[in-house]
Amino acid sequence: MKRRSFLHGLALLPALPLLSPLIRPAVAETAATAASITPLHKSNEAWREILEPDAYAVLFEESTERPNSSPLNHEKREGTYICAACNLPLFLSENKFDSGTGWPSFTQPIAGHTGSKRDFKLIWPRTEYHCIRCGGHQGHLFDDGPPPRGERWCNNGVALQFVAKGQDLPALRS
């Protein structure tokens, strides 16, 4: 982040309470869809043993990969994007688009497969989303996506795996 952008952001702090009605609310999951997925409880040590260090950092320490570092940015085949930790399907290729941001972006997730919370790490509140099954951090939701929904689900590529159409999805991790 450039110093000037940071300083402009700091200048907005006093106005934050006035701007809060304009900030996108966290995405609500319906009780029916979220209840149909059994949460996976695994220790950080167990995740650390099966994931690459960069994937672990993004998924369970809420890190962010460098822009333009994921081969998934250029993935054009039909298929399903699954959580790199627990293998839960999160996105379909038909909802992927090139946002020009340097991260894989989608117009919507598979219903009920993500949860969300507020993230204030950059001062300005954002909506962070995660895998509903393992809790792995995936990315952030923005309201600058294409019509008709206007949503950009900006995902860390290292937090996903791609399964091409015609290939079997891997079993969910236990």
Side-chain angles (χ1 to χ4, degrees):
M1 175 183 290
K2 293 183 179 177
R3 183 173 176 249
R4 182 181 303 249
S5 300
F6 178 73
L7 293 174
H8 285 294
L10 287 178
L12 291 173
L13 279 179
L16 195 55
L18 300 172
L19 295 173
S20 62
L22 303 174
I23 299 168
R24 179 184 198 93
V27 177
E29 294 297 331
T30 63
T33 54
S36 65
I37 296 174
T38 304
L40 177 60
H41 301 288
K42 207 177 206 43
S43 70
N44 284 350
E45 293 76 29
W47 284 122
R48 207 182 300 269
E49 287 178 17
I50 60 175
L51 295 171
E52 294 295 322
D54 54 343
Y56 177 83
V58 166
L59 287 159
F60 296 105
E61 294 176 343
E62 298 179 355
S63 184
T64 300
E65 70 183 354
R66 289 183 344 272
N68 298 307
S69 63
S70 174
L72 294 181
N73 286 341
H74 307 291
E75 182 59 65
K76 306 285 189 222
R77 296 175 291 170
E78 289 184 46
T80 305
Y81 293 84
I82 64 173
C83 175
C86 72
N87 296 340
L88 181 70
L90 298 178
F91 298 98
L92 300 176
S93 61
E94 65 197 45
N95 297 314
K96 185 173 186 273
F97 72 101
D98 183 1
S99 66
T101 61
W103 290 278
S105 297
F106 303 87
T107 58
Q108 66 186 49
I110 295 173
H113 288 208
T114 60
S116 64
K117 69 178 184 177
R118 283 285 185 222
D119 171 357
F120 291 91
K121 290 182 186 121
L122 294 180
I123 301 171
W124 190 262
R126 301 180 295 172
T127 301
E128 173 189 314
Y129 64 93
H130 54 271
C131 172
I132 198 73
R133 185 165 181 264
C134 70
H137 168 76
Q138 295 291 322
H140 290 87
L141 172 60
F142 300 98
D143 63 1
D144 58 0
R149 293 172 59 106
E151 297 175 351
R152 174 172 53 98
W153 295 75
C154 187
N155 218 98
N156 287 284
V158 73
L160 294 172
Q161 291 181 359
F162 178 73
V163 179
K165 183 177 180 179
Q167 294 180 340
D168 292 334
L169 291 172
L172 296 176
R173 282 196 171 130
S174 55

